[in-house]
Amino acid sequence: MRYLILIAAALVAAQSASATQQRTRVMIVDESPLVVRGIGFKPAERVTVTVSHGKVVYRKAATASATGVVMARWKVAMATTCASTFVLAVGSEGSRATYKTVANDCAQPKAPDAKGQPSGSDPLVLYPVDPVKSP
């Protein structure tokens, strides 16, 4: 009976220890200048943060705080080109976090013509709708 109680107590202790450990996450908090914040890393863990935006790559090493927070700051702004962004943070003790944004609407708007309409398009025509006769 004592062994069962000890085993149960050990399982509860292991479960509560894993519940307090949070999942690693990383995000861009500012683009000008570029700042990346990560959480959930091990205290004092050395973390390499890489930000890829199109063909431009930013890389910086940082050390996690006692609470597992990592801040990577660059002196430059992130490129403003229309491209997907990928952030990878890899810790020296095996922690890892990723973040990705996908650029899917990079078309430039058309300049308006002399009438104020987007060039190459027909003017906008609105027809009145009778709510009683609407299908």
Side-chain angles (χ1 to χ4, degrees):
M1 185 66 168
R2 283 184 188 171
Y3 293 116
L4 289 176
I5 293 172
L6 289 174
I7 292 172
L11 288 174
V12 169
Q15 212 171 27
S16 65
S18 66
T20 59
Q21 189 178 36
Q22 60 181 332
R23 197 177 93 212
T24 56
R25 289 184 288 177
V26 68
M27 66 211 78
I28 296 174
V29 294
D30 200 352
E31 292 181 1
S32 182
L34 180 58
V35 178
V36 173
R37 180 176 189 263
I39 61 171
F41 291 88
K42 296 176 182 166
E45 184 175 19
R46 192 78 173 146
V47 179
T48 301
V49 179
T50 305
V51 179
S52 301
H53 182 77
K55 295 181 180 182
V56 181
V57 177
Y58 307 90
R59 185 170 286 119
K60 184 155 298 256
T63 303
S65 69
T67 58
V69 175
V70 172
M71 295 294 286
R73 300 173 195 271
W74 287 263
K75 293 181 180 180
V76 297
M78 189 166 75
T80 58
T81 57
C82 185
S84 297
T85 304
F86 184 74
V87 180
L88 172 65
V90 179
S92 60
E93 296 183 35
S95 300
R96 183 181 176 93
T98 60
Y99 171 79
K100 184 175 185 177
T101 59
V102 178
N104 58 1
D105 188 15
C106 296
Q108 295 295 321
K110 293 182 180 181
D113 62 10
K115 296 178 186 175
Q117 298 292 326
S119 58
S121 67
D122 295 328
L124 180 65
V125 178
L126 299 175
Y127 297 98
V129 176
D130 185 353
V132 177
K133 295 182 180 179
S134 292

